[in-house]
């Protein structure tokens, strides 16, 4: 422990510093007090943790640029921001130029900082030029003039079901093109990673929603037919702050149960032997989870103080502190754990997807095309959010098929049915938890907005088996006729191993 740092927690508490507040240090190791106040402001603290981290990173890059000009951030001018945009986006000597969407996010971070600074009297003029715009709803809002014109409204990726299967097998299970594990494959945390990805693709949960589940929130109630289980996602971990029901396939739930009984239990036992849980600051031992419309979680902390909170109001950070008493000591209620038996934080899943994408590219791309020929894609590329997009596409196709087969409707009857009860588009909107139908149709299901799915389904070459058909052929046709959907062809289908 460095001299003078023994009572650091007490010193931080005395000046209002909380866990998660960023601290900005200049290159000469001085703390910027004004920026620290911004990080402690109610405006900044209301942002989600991911937004906080992104904004802090974006602001630091601007600070470094200003530092090379001998300026502090309160001295920023509009010309400085113009020059910075040129460097970030267009300068030939910048080997890591960014696109319009990334620039808009950085600009949003600067707007937040400078608006706060002006309101606090730290600067007299906001260097970010603003203009008034009218939203589609008729509201007048302020927008930065420097917003990019080439920004994409959303980063959307769709993978068909068989493409997801290939991505999981190669990227997470270590398979080769021949469909067998690669020699020397270790498969660190393979069970956990496969279970998580299958949960997202079968449920449509956002990354933070799926990553924040507690063990007692795993869906166990099966719907009639047994193919799907339903559960609840707590309000505080959703983007809309509203609790909603989600559905996960029975297979994905089985994967989670296998993970809990094997590698997760092993990681917990190792952590218990090493005494990691007892040393975890802020650990809360849960003594009761009440039932009813508003379930509460009651716990006892390390000082013996009893506390409680509505389950729906627990942040994901608070959820990582919840434990229960197991046969060999405390066990985390947080579902997804790292190798040390500690909670695996939501943003860390991005590295899992990144590593799997790299492996798919290495295994599935012929050596002579590796890192070349950008117009020919041999390997699927996936993100956590593309699992949600793909779920929406899958459910739209399946619900169209199920409705057609279950009710045997003529086109006229189907129109009447939609007027009375809604259609698959509306159902998918509810499954995703979108407040606006426009978001569902415009972004998540853009590739199939204009496709005649009904005619495609009714003219399928082979009859499909009810109640949940294998629609690989149909998805292949959808992918062929629509942009943005990744589907593998027979050339990439893993060949069965020799008997």
């Amino acid at each position: 422990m460095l001299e003078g740092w023994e009572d650091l927690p007490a010193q931080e508490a005395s000046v209002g510093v909380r866990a998660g507040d960023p601290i900005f240090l200049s290159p000469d190791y001085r703390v910027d007090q004004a920026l620290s106040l911004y990080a402690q402001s109610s405006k900044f603290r209301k942002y989600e943790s991911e937004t906080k981290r992104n904004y802090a990173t974006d602001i630091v890059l601007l600070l470094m640029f200003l530092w090379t000009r001998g300026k502090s951030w309160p001295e920023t001018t509009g010309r400085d921001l113009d020059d910075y945009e040129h460097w970030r986006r267009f300068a030939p000597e910048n080997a890591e130029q960014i696109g319009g969407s990334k620039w808009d996010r950085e600009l949003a971070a600067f707007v937040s900082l400078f608006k706060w600074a002006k309101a606090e009297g730290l600067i007299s003029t906001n260097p970010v030029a603003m203009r008034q715009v009218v939203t589609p709803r008729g509201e007048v809002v302020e927008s930065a003039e420097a917003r990019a014109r080439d920004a994409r409204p959303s980063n959307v990726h769709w993978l068909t079901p068989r493409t997801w299967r290939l991505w999981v097998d190669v990227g997470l299970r270590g398979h080769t093109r021949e469909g067998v594990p690669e020699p020397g494959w270790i498969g660190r945390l393979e069970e956990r990673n496969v279970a998580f990805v299958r949960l997202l693709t079968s449920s449509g949960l956002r990354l933070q929603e799926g990553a924040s589940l507690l063990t007692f929130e795993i869906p166990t109630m099966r719907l009639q037919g047994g193919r799907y289980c339903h559960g609840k996602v707590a309000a505080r971990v959703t983007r809309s702050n509203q609790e909603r029901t989600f559905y996960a396939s029975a297979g994905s739930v089985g994967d989670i149960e296998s993970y809990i009984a094997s590698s997760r239990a092993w990681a917990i036992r190792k952590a218990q032997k090493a005494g990691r849980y007892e040393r975890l600051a802020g650990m809360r031992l849960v003594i009761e989870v009440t039932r009813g419309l508003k379930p509460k979680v009651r716990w006892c902390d390390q000082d013996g103080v009893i506390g409680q909170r509505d389950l729906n109001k627990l942040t994901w950070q608070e959820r990582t502190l919840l434990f229960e008493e197991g046969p060999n000591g405390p066990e985390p209620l947080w579902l997804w754990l790292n190798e040390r038996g500690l909670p695996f934080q939501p943003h860390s899943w991005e590295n899992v997807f990144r590593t799997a994408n790299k492996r798919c590219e290495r295994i599935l791309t012929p050596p002579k095309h590796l890192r070349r020929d950008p117009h020919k894609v041999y390997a699927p590329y996936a993100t956590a959010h593309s699992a949600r997009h793909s779920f929406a596409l899958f459910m739209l196709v399946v619900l169209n098929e199920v409705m057609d087969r279950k009710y045997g409707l003529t086109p006229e009857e189907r129109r009447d049915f939609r007027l009375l009860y809604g259609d698959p588009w509306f159902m998918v909107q509810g499954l995703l938890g979108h407040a606006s139908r426009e978001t569902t149709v415009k972004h998540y299901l853009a590739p199939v907005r204009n496709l005649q799915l009904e005619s495609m389904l009714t003219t399928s070459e082979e009859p499909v088996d009810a109640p949940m058909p294998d629609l690989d052929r149909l998805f292949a046709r959808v992918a062929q006729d629509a942009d943005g959907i990744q589907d593998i062809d027979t050339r990439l289908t893993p060949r069965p191993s020799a008997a």
Side-chain angles (χ1 to χ4, degrees):
M1 181 71 69
L2 296 176
E3 183 179 355
W5 290 62
E6 298 87 352
D7 60 343
L8 181 59
Q11 292 186 45
E12 289 179 334
S14 67
V15 293
V17 176
R18 301 177 188 172
D21 289 346
I23 303 296
F24 295 90
L25 294 176
S26 61
D28 59 359
Y29 304 105
R30 296 178 182 271
V31 176
D32 190 310
Q33 295 182 355
L35 278 175
S36 296
L37 291 175
Y38 168 66
Q40 297 172 31
S41 66
S42 59
K43 178 184 183 67
F44 188 83
R45 281 177 171 164
K46 287 180 181 178
Y47 293 140
E48 294 293 336
S49 57
E50 184 74 11
T51 302
K52 292 179 184 178
R53 186 172 69 252
N54 290 337
Y55 277 20
T57 302
D58 297 338
I59 289 171
V60 164
L61 292 175
L62 175 63
L63 295 178
M64 294 299 295
F65 177 82
L66 294 171
W67 183 270
T68 62
R69 296 190 164 194
K71 284 187 170 185
S72 63
W73 67 269
E75 300 172 306
T76 306
T77 65
R79 176 63 182 272
D80 292 325
L81 292 178
D82 289 343
D83 292 344
Y84 182 66
E85 180 188 9
H86 174 75
W87 165 255
R88 292 288 282 156
R89 301 191 61 203
F90 309 113
E93 60 272 24
N94 181 5
E96 298 182 355
Q97 295 178 6
I98 62 174
S101 298
K102 177 67 166 63
W103 169 251
D104 282 352
R105 194 196 78 185
E106 294 189 6
L107 193 60
F110 307 153
V111 169
S112 174
L113 170 62
F114 290 121
K115 275 190 172 183
W116 170 84
K118 184 178 179 182
E120 294 294 319
L122 299 176
I123 59 176
S124 58
T125 305
N126 183 353
V128 183
M130 307 294 291
R131 61 188 177 90
Q132 290 187 333
V133 297
V134 180
T135 68
R137 296 183 179 182
E139 302 169 338
V140 179
V141 298
E142 280 193 325
S143 177
E145 288 187 356
R147 283 182 60 86
R149 296 181 179 180
D150 60 342
R152 292 192 300 171
S154 59
N155 187 21
V156 181
H157 300 280
W158 295 268
L159 283 76
T160 62
R162 67 174 178 175
T163 307
W164 272 114
R165 293 194 293 269
L166 176 67
W167 187 89
V168 167
D169 286 344
V170 175
L172 301 180
R173 290 191 169 120
H175 287 191
T176 63
R177 287 176 60 93
E178 287 69 36
V180 295
E182 188 176 28
W185 171 255
I186 298 176
R188 291 175 53 238
L189 299 170
E190 176 183 324
E191 282 184 310
R192 183 200 68 182
N193 297 341
V194 171
F196 181 75
V197 170
R198 290 201 64 198
L199 171 67
L200 294 192
T201 56
S202 76
S203 67
L205 290 173
R206 294 183 176 91
L207 185 148
Q208 181 168 290
E209 294 169 348
S212 303
L213 288 176
L214 303 176
T215 53
F216 59 78
E217 292 177 315
I218 300 170
T220 55
M221 296 293 293
R222 292 201 179 196
L223 302 178
Q224 186 176 4
R227 292 182 178 269
Y228 276 83
C229 304
H230 67 89
K232 292 281 187 180
V233 57
R236 191 63 179 83
V237 299
T238 67
R239 181 173 295 177
S240 61
N241 282 323
Q242 293 184 351
E243 177 191 47
R244 78 172 190 277
T245 298
F246 72 94
Y247 301 89
S249 69
S252 69
V253 173
D255 286 343
I256 294 174
E257 292 171 344
S258 296
Y259 158 64
I260 290 176
S262 54
S263 57
R264 185 180 186 274
W266 178 72
I268 290 174
R269 192 72 188 103
K270 284 206 311 179
Q272 289 171 335
K273 289 182 178 180
R276 295 191 185 108
Y277 299 146
E278 288 79 1
R279 298 193 300 268
L280 189 64
M283 185 185 75
R284 298 169 174 177
L285 197 62
V286 172
I287 54 181
E288 182 185 15
V289 179
T290 67
R291 297 181 178 274
L293 295 177
K294 294 184 177 181
K296 297 181 183 296
V297 178
R298 294 195 176 97
W299 65 78
C300 178
D301 66 18
Q302 292 166 311
D303 296 323
V305 178
I306 303 298
Q308 72 173 26
R309 184 79 57 82
D310 286 354
L311 177 61
N312 270 325
K313 294 182 179 180
L314 288 170
T315 65
W316 73 261
Q317 294 90 341
E318 292 173 320
R319 287 167 161 255
T320 63
L321 302 175
L322 299 180
F323 283 70
E324 65 179 347
E325 189 63 49
N328 299 302
E331 297 182 1
L333 284 170
W334 185 268
L335 176 57
W336 311 106
L337 307 179
N338 61 24
E339 287 179 299
R340 302 180 71 241
L342 299 174
F344 193 66
Q345 298 195 359
H347 67 267
S348 298
W349 284 107
E350 296 173 1
N351 294 327
V352 173
F353 279 84
R354 188 178 301 114
T355 301
N357 285 327
K358 289 181 179 179
R359 191 175 192 286
C360 284
E361 182 180 15
R362 177 176 65 84
I363 295 297
L364 298 176
T365 304
K368 65 179 181 179
H369 292 282
L370 194 61
R371 304 185 186 282
R372 300 177 182 176
D373 195 4
H375 302 293
K376 184 64 175 176
V377 178
Y378 293 87
Y381 174 86
T383 65
H385 211 58
S386 62
R388 183 167 162 83
H389 300 147
S390 303
F391 164 80
L393 178 65
F394 177 79
M395 291 308 297
L396 175 69
V397 175
V398 168
L399 288 171
N400 267 285
E401 170 68 8
V402 169
M403 285 185 65
D404 278 352
R405 289 190 173 273
K406 183 172 183 178
Y407 297 106
L409 304 175
T410 65
E412 293 77 14
E413 291 170 334
R414 184 163 180 164
R415 283 194 294 269
D416 293 339
F417 186 89
R418 284 174 171 171
L419 290 174
L420 288 172
Y421 303 109
D423 59 13
W425 300 83
F426 178 78
M427 297 178 190
V428 173
Q429 175 190 341
L431 289 169
L432 293 173
H434 286 158
S436 168
R437 177 189 175 97
E438 179 184 4
T439 301
T440 307
V441 176
K442 182 178 180 181
H443 299 307
Y444 284 75
L445 301 175
V448 293
R449 272 183 295 173
N450 299 317
L451 296 180
Q452 299 296 322
L453 284 176
E454 182 180 349
S455 62
M456 293 176 64
L457 287 165
T458 56
T459 58
S460 178
E461 296 178 5
E462 294 182 2
V464 287
D465 297 328
M468 192 62 66
D470 182 357
L471 300 175
D472 281 347
R473 293 195 179 196
L474 175 58
F475 275 108
R477 295 173 61 187
V478 173
Q480 185 178 5
D481 295 337
D483 294 330
I485 302 178
Q486 300 178 54
D487 186 48
I488 59 174
D489 55 26
T490 54
R491 205 166 30 78
L492 288 181
T493 303
R495 294 188 297 272
S497 58

